[in-house]
Amino acid sequence: MRDVLPEIMRWWRSGLEFGLATVVSTFSSAPRPPGASMAVHGEEVVGSVSGGCVEGAVFELAAAAEAPLLQRYGVSDDDAFAVGLTCGGIIDILIEPVSAATFPELGDIYASVQAHEPVAVATVVGGPGVMGARRVIWPDRTSGSLGLERLDQAVDDDARGMLAQGLTGIRRYGGQGERRLDDLPVFVQSFAPPPRMLVFGAIDFAAAVARVGKFLGYHVTVCDARPVFATSKRFPDADEVVVKWPHDYLATQTVDERTVICVLTHDPKFDVPLLELALRAGAGYVGAMGSRRTHEDRLERLRESGLTDAELAGLRSPIGLDLGARTPEETAVSIAAELIQLRWGGSGRPLTETRGRIHGWVDDRHETF
């Protein structure tokens, strides 16, 4: 829903009612992940739930929605007019009417998303519970109820855990909120702060990496010790540009499994102390630019600094996938390709050489780093 929030907030603030369709679970191959949304008001449509396969049918249901309902779409048959997914997957879509009266917390959710404050929305999507009942969970407070205090408590705990990991998906409970039963599905959508991309080295390649990082949804920081190069004018796509010695800056930052660190400095006095910290910080991705000769020299220097082979195994160097990239822009694409491959477990091979489903969402979760 994050991508349609700005538009639906305009409708919500105007006192309008609109239909909201959200993917809550997927099976096998599916074109959009849980959390993907489409909103409908009159003839206006924003967002997508299937990349086109079932948009028309969902539009009709969302436009006419008077109460929450769960609609399943599976494989289309040989009839050219059949509604279904040509990719062979199955998706469950929650369709509900939304207004300031039915969803009063939407304004607070939007404010949290804009402020990069984590927030999760839990919604009952079936079973013996109250269909469409909603609860909003922040790290330090809650709003709304799913209908039972015990269920609220169980979902609060699970939602905060999912929020910490940036996960979105279905969790199942008993009719009274028991954790060991599974007849009451609750869809938890996490609006975690965007993952961070830390780009070290204010060079032309860094500008291209910052641009593609922003495009992929990262909060991008460019850092370099040289003030003449580290300027906002040279890196307009970065969320922030920091003038500081790279390892000193990294030492002050919170790094987690969603953090991407790209070291583009090309200078041992910068990148060796920086990588020594980065490889021990718990980042999801640490990559360094340089030739294979530079890489071997860098590894030797890092070993001399005390890093173990296990720690060095976390270094992606030379950075990026082998696409034959030459220009800064092409190199940025190769880095982005490696990030996407690692995020979803892709092979990195041409799809014409692979078999099986092209896109699927593991355990109905949407993960990113």
Side-chain angles (χ1 to χ4, degrees):
M1 187 169 71
R2 186 191 296 267
D3 55 342
V4 302
L5 266 175
E7 187 62 26
I8 67 176
M9 281 305 301
R10 181 174 66 84
W11 298 339
W12 185 86
R13 286 169 174 157
S14 299
L16 302 174
E17 182 172 279
F18 54 92
L20 181 65
T22 304
V23 177
V24 299
S25 63
T26 65
F27 305 88
S28 187
S29 184
R32 299 297 309 277
S37 295
M38 182 174 81
V40 176
H41 173 65
E43 296 300 315
E44 291 186 76
V45 181
V46 292
S48 172
V49 291
S50 71
C53 299
V54 300
E55 309 296 73
V58 174
F59 170 84
E60 297 293 338
L61 287 175
E66 296 182 352
L69 64 95
L70 192 68
Q71 182 69 36
R72 172 167 291 187
Y73 294 96
V75 184
S76 61
D77 57 26
D78 293 332
D79 181 352
F81 296 99
V83 175
L85 300 176
T86 58
C87 59
I90 299 172
I91 57 174
D92 285 338
I93 297 178
L94 173 67
I95 299 170
E96 56 187 327
V98 173
S99 67
T102 63
F103 200 164
E105 303 92 349
L106 187 59
D108 292 334
I109 293 168
Y110 182 68
S112 292
V113 171
Q114 292 296 97
H116 296 166
E117 177 186 17
V119 58
V121 181
T123 309
V124 174
V125 295
V130 180
M131 184 67 177
R134 184 184 296 109
R135 186 169 174 86
V136 183
I137 302 108
W138 287 269
D140 59 350
R141 64 190 190 280
T142 60
S143 179
S145 174
L146 301 177
L148 293 168
E149 183 178 354
R150 185 174 177 182
L151 178 60
D152 287 345
Q153 292 173 349
V155 171
D156 288 352
D157 289 343
D158 289 346
R160 285 180 173 128
M162 294 172 70
L163 191 55
Q165 301 176 67
L167 302 181
T168 285
I170 295 280
R171 291 295 180 268
R172 298 181 182 275
Y173 306 87
Q176 300 299 312
E178 303 93 334
R179 291 179 180 273
R180 291 177 294 176
L181 302 176
D182 61 1
D183 53 346
L184 197 161
V186 176
F187 175 61
V188 179
Q189 184 166 14
S190 294
F191 295 94
R196 298 190 66 190
M197 173 181 281
L198 306 179
V199 181
F200 294 98
I203 62 176
D204 50 356
F205 286 89
V209 171
R211 190 177 310 123
V212 76
K214 193 64 180 174
F215 177 77
L216 291 177
Y218 291 95
H219 181 278
V220 180
T221 300
V222 175
C223 175
D224 195 291
R226 302 165 297 176
V228 68
F229 294 111
T231 66
S232 297
K233 184 176 180 179
R234 295 189 70 230
F235 300 97
D237 297 291
D239 294 285
E240 55 183 347
V241 179
V242 176
V243 179
K244 200 168 186 177
W245 276 78
H247 67 281
D248 288 338
Y249 174 72
L250 183 59
T252 67
Q253 300 304 297
T254 299
V255 172
D256 60 25
E257 66 276 3
R258 301 170 70 227
T259 304
V260 167
I261 297 176
C262 298
V263 179
L264 314 180
T265 49
H266 283 302
D267 189 332
K269 71 174 177 290
F270 288 117
D271 60 19
V272 170
L274 172 60
L275 286 170
E276 185 179 352
L277 281 178
L279 291 170
R280 290 171 170 166
Y285 177 94
V286 179
M289 179 179 286
S291 67
R292 298 195 186 280
R293 179 177 178 179
T294 298
H295 171 64
E296 292 302 322
D297 177 70
R298 184 187 288 135
L299 287 180
E300 184 60 33
R301 291 172 183 268
L302 288 170
R303 289 192 182 98
E304 292 174 357
S305 297
L307 269 72
T308 66
D309 287 342
E311 290 169 330
L312 292 173
L315 177 61
R316 314 291 299 191
S317 175
I319 196 171
L321 293 188
D322 180 13
L323 304 182
R326 294 291 187 273
T327 67
E329 291 74 19
E330 290 174 346
T331 301
V333 169
S334 78
I335 295 170
E338 184 171 47
L339 292 175
I340 295 168
Q341 178 213 5
L342 294 174
R343 177 189 300 176
W344 299 115
S347 67
R349 296 163 53 204
L351 288 171
T352 54
E353 297 180 1
T354 64
R355 295 292 181 267
R357 65 190 187 189
I358 295 174
H359 38 230
W361 312 99
V362 181
D363 295 332
D364 293 341
R365 300 179 301 176
H366 179 44
E367 301 183 67
T368 185
F369 64 77

